[in-house]
C-alpha cells in the first residue's frame, strides 16, 4: 500500500503501466519535463478539456471560444511584457552546479521547518521571502538563503551564486534563414495562450457583435523553459492551458473578480472533489500586469499547489497592444455612451495540472482482504463524466453466442460513449483491470442473458452487482455521464 509520501510515485508508475502517461521519447531516455499521453490518458485529458470548454462557452451566455496560433508576431511578447519580465529569479549552487528557482528553494526549506514543528519560523521565512520578492530585492533574497543556511540537496553546501533572472520563453527561427542576420526572424513559442485572445479582442468583439461584459476562451499549448522541472506533469516545459479572458467595464472589475473566483471554485467542486482539498491563495507579489490575483490550490500528494490562477489584469494587455500596434483597442459602450479600453479578469487553469489533480483524487488502493484470503485492488475513482472508458462489455465466455450479444451491445452504445470490449481472461481479472483504468461500469453477459435478455452490471466504486435488462444499459450509463 502506498503511503501519502510515495503516493505520488505510485501514481506516476500506474500512469505508465496502464497507458495514461509516458515520458516523451522514452526510447531515447526521455526529455526532461516533457510527457506524452497514451491511449487512456489522452481520453481523460480530452474529457477534462471538453468539460471545461462546455462549462466556459456553451453553458455561458456571453463567452465564445477561439483557437489562435502558437506562433505570434514577436512584438506581441514585447508588448505583453514577457520579453522583459517573464523571468524567474534563480540561484546556482557552485559545488553541485545545480540550479534552483529561489522561491522553490526557500519554500522547500520552509516545508522542512514545518515538518520539524517549527511552524512559526517557517511562516517568518515565507513572509520575509514575499517582502523581498515584492521589492525585487535579489541581494536580499540571497542573504535570506544564507541567513537560514539553506543548503543544496545535492552537494549539501551553502556555496551559492548571486540570484539572477532567467527568461522562461523558448525562441526559434521563423521562415528563411536569409533574414536571420538582422535577427528579425526570431519568434517565441507562446508561454501562455492569453495573448492570442488579446490580439483578437477586436476581431471577435466586432464579428461576434459582443457586448460587454463578455469573455473569450481558448485551450492550447504553452511552452516555458522551466528551471526546475521534475514534478511529473505538474511542471512541464510543454503543457496545455485553458484560459478565459473576461472583458468588463472599468470600475466593475472588483465584483467580476469575486464572481469568477466563486464560479471557478464551483467548477472545481463539480468534479466531485471535496472542499477541504482546495484553498485560495492570494498573491502578495503581483505579476507585472496584475491588480489583484489569487490561485486555486489543490492538495496534491506533494502538498497544496496551484492549479488555477484568477487575475484582475486591468487594461494592461489591451493598452500595451494599442501602444505597440498603434491600433485602437477601444470599445464603444452604448449604455454609457463612452469609448474605453475594457478591463480584464482572467481565469487560467493548466489542463495537465488538472489531469494530475483528477488522478491524485481518483487513485485509491483498497485492501479487500478477508480472513480467508488476502486481496487488494488499485482503483481510479474518476467521476463517470471524466472516465476514459465509460462501459466495459465482458462476455463470460468466448462461446455459446455470448460474444455476439456483447458485440451487438457494443454497436448500440459506442456512438454515444466510449466502450471497451474484452473476452479474454477470468472475469475477476478483467474487473480489476477496468478498476485500474477507472471504468465506472462493467457489464457481464452470461448464459442467463440468452434466456431473459438481462446482464450483470458491476459498479466500480461499490463493486455491487445487479441484474438489469439489456435495454436499460445505455440509459443507466448516460444518466451518470450527463
Ligand atoms: P507556477 O507558479 O506554478 O509556475 P504560474 O503562476 O507561473 O505557475 P500561470 O502563469 O498563472 O502559472 O499559468 C496558469 C496555469 O497554467 C497555472 O495555474 C498552471 O495550472 C498552469 N501552468 C503554468 N506553468 C505550468 C507548467 N510549467 N506545467 C504545467 N502547467 C503549468
Amino acid at each position: 500500500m502506498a503511503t501519502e509520501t510515495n503516493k505520488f510515485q505510485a501514481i506516476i508508475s500506474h500512469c505508465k503501466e496502464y497507458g495514461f502517461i509516458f515520458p516523451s521519447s522514452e526510447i531515447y531516455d526521455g526529455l526532461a519535463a516533457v510527457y506524452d499521453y497514451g491511449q487512456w490518458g489522452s481520453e481523460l485529458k480530452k474529457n477534462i478539456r471538453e468539460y471545461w470548454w462546455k462549462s466556459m462557452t456553451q453553458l455561458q451566455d456571453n463567452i465564445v471560444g477561439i483557437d489562435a496560433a502558437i506562433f505570434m508576431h514577436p512584438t506581441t511578447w514585447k508588448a505583453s511584457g514577457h520579453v522583459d519580465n517573464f523571468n524567474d529569479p534563480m540561484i546556482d549552487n557552485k559545488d553541485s552546479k545545480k540550479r534552483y528557482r529561489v522561491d522553490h528553494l526557500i519554500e522547500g526549506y520552509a516545508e522542512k521547518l514545518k515538518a520539524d514543528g517549527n511552524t512559526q519560523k517557517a511562516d517568518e521565512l515565507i513572509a520575509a521571502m514575499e517582502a523581498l520578492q515584492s521589492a525585487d530585492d535579489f541581494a536580499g533574497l540571497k542573504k535570506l538563503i544564507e541567513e537560514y543556511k539553506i543548503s543544496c540537496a545535492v552537494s549539501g553546501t551553502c556555496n551559492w551564486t548571486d540570484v539572477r533572472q532567467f527568461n522562461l520563453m523558448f525562441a526559434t527561427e521563423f521562415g528563411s534563414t536569409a533574414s536571420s542576420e538582422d535577427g528579425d526572424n526570431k519568434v517565441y513559442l507562446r508561454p501562455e495562450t492569453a495573448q492570442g485572445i488579446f490580439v483578437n479582442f477586436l476581431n471577435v468583439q466586432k464579428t461576434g457583435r459582443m457586448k460587454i461584459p463578455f469573455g473569450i476562451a481558448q485551450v492550447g499549448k504553452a511552452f516555458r523553459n522551466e528551471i526546475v522541472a521534475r514534478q511529473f506533469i505538474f511542471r512541464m516545459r510543454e503543457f496545455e492551458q485553458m484560459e478565459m479572458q473576461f472583458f468588463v467595464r472599468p470600475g466593475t472589475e472588483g465584483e467580476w473578480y469575486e464572481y469568477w473566483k466563486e464560479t471557478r471554485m464551483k467548477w472545481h467542486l463539480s468534479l466531485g472533489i471535496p472542499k477541504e482539498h482546495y484553498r485560495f491563495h492570494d498573491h502578495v507579489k503581483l505579476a507585472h500586469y496584475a491588480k489583484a490575483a489569487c490561485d486555486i490550490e489543490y492538495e496534491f500528494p506533494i502538498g497544496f499547489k496551484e492549479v488555477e490562477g484568477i487575475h484582475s489584469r486591468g487594461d494592461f494587455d489591451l493598452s500595451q497592444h494599442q501602444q505597440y500596434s498603434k491600433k485602437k483597442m477601444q470599445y464603444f459602450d452604448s449604455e454609457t455612451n463612452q469609448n474605453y479600453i475594457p478591463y480584464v479578469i482572467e481565469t487560467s487553469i493548466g489542463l495537465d495540472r488538472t489531469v494530475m489533480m483528477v488522478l491524485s483524487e481518483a487513485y485509491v488502493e483498497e485492501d479487500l482482504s478477508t480472513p480467508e484470503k488476502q486481496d487488494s485492488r488499485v482503483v481510479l475513482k474518476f467521476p463517470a463524466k471524466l472516465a476514459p472508458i465509460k462501459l466495459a462489455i465482458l462476455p463470460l465466455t468466448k462461446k455459446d453466442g455470448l460474444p455476439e450479444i456483447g458485440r451487438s451491445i457494443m454497436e448500440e452504445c459506442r456512438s454515444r460513449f466510449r466502450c471497451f470490449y474484452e473476452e479474454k481472461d477470468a472475469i475477476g481479472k478483467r474487473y480489476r483491470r477496468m478498476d485500474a483504468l477507472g471504468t465506472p461500469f462493467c457489464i457481464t453477459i452470461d448464459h442467463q442473458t440468452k434466456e431473459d435478455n438481462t446482464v450483470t452490471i458491476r459498479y466500480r466504486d461499490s463493486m455491487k452487482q445487479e441484474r438489469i435488462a439489456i435495454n436499460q444499459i445505455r440509459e443507466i450509463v448516460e444518466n451518470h455521464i450527463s
Side-chain angles (χ1 to χ4, degrees):
M1 292 267 148
T3 59
E4 225 14 61
T5 36
N6 62 24
K7 184 174 166 190
F8 191 54
Q9 224 36 59
I11 293 172
I12 298 173
S13 308
H14 189 88
C15 283
K16 178 141 188 271
E17 191 180 341
Y18 286 92
F20 282 88
I21 299 164
F22 309 120
S24 162
S25 12
E26 198 187 2
I27 56 167
Y28 297 106
D29 295 333
L31 184 64
V34 185
Y35 289 89
D36 297 339
Y37 285 81
Q39 63 277 31
W40 303 126
S42 57
E43 287 284 339
L44 173 66
K45 188 178 177 193
K46 180 204 71 183
N47 293 344
I48 296 174
R49 188 194 291 118
E50 284 178 357
Y51 182 60
W52 181 89
W53 185 259
K54 195 170 170 186
S55 340
M56 295 300 277
T57 60
Q58 193 176 326
L59 296 178
Q60 304 281 339
D61 293 331
N62 49 0
I63 303 181
V64 291
I66 62 164
D67 184 11
I70 287 173
F71 288 133
M72 300 185 69
H73 192 285
T75 310
T76 310
W77 305 111
K78 196 77 197 135
S80 69
H82 282 81
V83 172
D84 297 324
N85 294 313
F86 195 50
N87 302 311
D88 272 338
M90 50 119 195
I91 194 165
D92 293 6
N93 183 272
K94 289 186 193 162
D95 299 321
S96 67
K97 310 274 182 272
K98 202 171 153 39
R99 178 166 292 171
Y100 294 87
R101 233 173 91 170
V102 169
D103 55 342
H104 289 172
L105 184 67
I106 297 176
E107 279 164 8
Y109 187 71
E111 287 301 321
K112 252 196 251 157
L113 286 174
K114 268 193 195 153
D116 296 341
N118 291 322
T119 309
Q120 195 190 338
K121 201 169 164 196
D123 291 344
E124 282 166 14
L125 173 62
I126 295 294
M129 176 188 80
E130 288 181 342
L132 293 165
Q133 280 177 322
S134 320
D136 280 334
D137 183 349
F138 299 133
L141 282 166
K142 183 179 179 190
K143 234 172 105 201
L144 188 69
I145 291 170
E146 288 170 341
E147 222 172 85
Y148 277 77
K149 300 199 171 47
I150 302 176
S151 60
C152 165
V154 178
S155 67
T157 68
C158 303
N159 193 9
W160 297 108
T161 62
D162 286 340
V163 173
R164 276 170 297 158
Q165 292 283 59
F166 179 79
N167 194 289
L168 301 184
M169 281 198 293
F170 282 104
T172 188
E173 307 262 306
F174 199 69
S176 78
T177 47
S179 60
S180 62
E181 282 148 34
D182 44 34
D184 64 1
N185 65 344
K186 179 174 172 180
V187 290
Y188 298 100
L189 298 186
R190 66 180 178 199
E192 62 174 27
T193 56
Q195 298 306 323
I197 295 178
F198 293 125
V199 298
N200 279 298
F201 162 70
L202 280 185
N203 283 338
V204 175
Q205 190 271 318
K206 294 220 152 81
T207 59
R209 296 151 59 92
M210 307 296 289
K211 279 215 172 343
I212 266 175
F214 73 91
I216 305 178
Q218 168 161 236
V219 179
K221 289 270 182 163
F223 303 83
R224 294 183 188 179
N225 200 1
E226 299 282 0
I227 303 163
V228 184
R230 53 179 155 72
Q231 289 164 313
F232 192 40
I233 56 167
F234 179 82
R235 189 172 300 287
M236 301 157 90
R237 296 203 163 105
E238 172 180 344
F239 58 101
E240 216 164 317
Q241 286 185 314
M242 307 190 285
E243 296 198 302
M244 192 280 298
Q245 310 295 328
F246 199 70
F247 300 93
V248 304
R249 185 182 294 160
T252 62
E253 67 277 11
E255 62 204 74
W256 283 113
Y257 176 65
E258 291 306 323
Y259 171 85
W260 281 110
K261 265 178 85 168
E262 195 186 313
T263 305
R264 290 303 305 148
M265 185 55 99
K266 273 195 200 145
W267 183 87
H268 280 272
L269 298 176
S270 77
L271 301 174
I273 298 176
K275 220 161 70 207
E276 314 79 76
H277 291 186
Y278 287 112
R279 71 179 185 197
F280 281 112
H281 172 252
D282 291 314
H283 287 202
V284 178
K285 175 168 169 47
L286 294 174
H288 58 274
Y289 54 78
K291 281 183 173 309
C294 71
D295 299 332
I296 295 179
E297 295 186 339
Y298 167 76
E299 191 172 17
F300 289 96
I302 47 174
F304 269 105
K305 304 251 179 230
E306 169 180 348
V307 210
E308 171 156 12
I310 297 158
H311 310 125
S312 179
R313 298 175 76 123
D315 63 359
F316 175 81
D317 303 271
L318 292 179
S319 298
Q320 287 291 102
H321 287 306
Q322 173 165 297
Q323 186 191 329
Y324 277 80
S325 69
K326 316 242 169 353
K327 308 267 169 14
K328 278 230 174 325
M329 289 287 168
Q330 287 189 335
Y331 170 82
F332 177 69
D333 191 329
S334 54
E335 270 177 43
T336 60
N337 245 346
Q338 277 177 324
N339 270 309
Y340 56 77
I341 297 180
Y343 276 23
V344 171
I345 308 298
E346 163 183 83
T347 71
S348 173
I349 177 168
L351 176 52
D352 310 271
R353 269 189 207 179
T354 311
V355 171
M356 176 79 216
M357 173 175 81
V358 168
L359 277 165
S360 305
E361 192 63 32
Y363 182 92
V364 182
E365 292 178 8
E366 281 181 353
D367 185 357
L368 305 173
S369 301
T370 57
E372 294 77 45
K373 194 172 124 216
Q374 282 224 321
D375 196 9
S376 67
R377 67 166 182 163
V378 172
V379 50
L380 296 179
K381 295 187 173 178
F382 294 133
K385 61 192 170 204
L386 300 182
I389 303 167
K390 312 295 188 204
L391 177 71
I393 299 165
L394 314 172
L396 201 58
T397 65
K398 285 188 208 166
K399 46 186 201 294
D400 302 334
L402 305 188
E404 286 72 15
I405 301 175
R407 291 277 174 206
S408 76
I409 296 173
M410 180 90 180
E411 276 319 305
E412 201 208 319
C413 294
R414 71 190 325 173
S415 66
R416 302 300 190 104
F417 44 79
R418 189 72 153 92
C419 304
F420 186 82
Y421 178 86
E422 189 162 53
E423 50 187 38
K424 230 177 91 212
D425 292 329
I427 193 69
K429 211 165 165 190
R430 282 184 268 167
Y431 282 154
R432 286 290 188 276
R433 196 170 157 71
M434 285 300 125
D435 289 343
L437 294 176
T439 306
F441 308 102
C442 292
I443 54 154
T444 311
I445 298 131
D446 55 20
H447 291 93
Q448 193 185 326
T449 310
K450 290 203 326 190
E451 286 159 25
D452 62 6
N453 275 327
T454 63
V455 291
T456 302
I457 185 162
R458 175 199 185 257
Y459 300 96
R460 177 197 64 202
D461 297 354
S462 62
M463 294 192 286
K464 209 176 94 191
Q465 302 188 13
E466 62 190 4
R467 213 70 206 176
I468 57 164
I470 287 181
N471 61 15
Q472 285 178 283
I473 299 172
R474 209 172 83 184
E475 196 189 332
I476 291 180
V477 178
E478 282 185 332
N479 282 347
H480 278 88
I481 60 178
S482 65

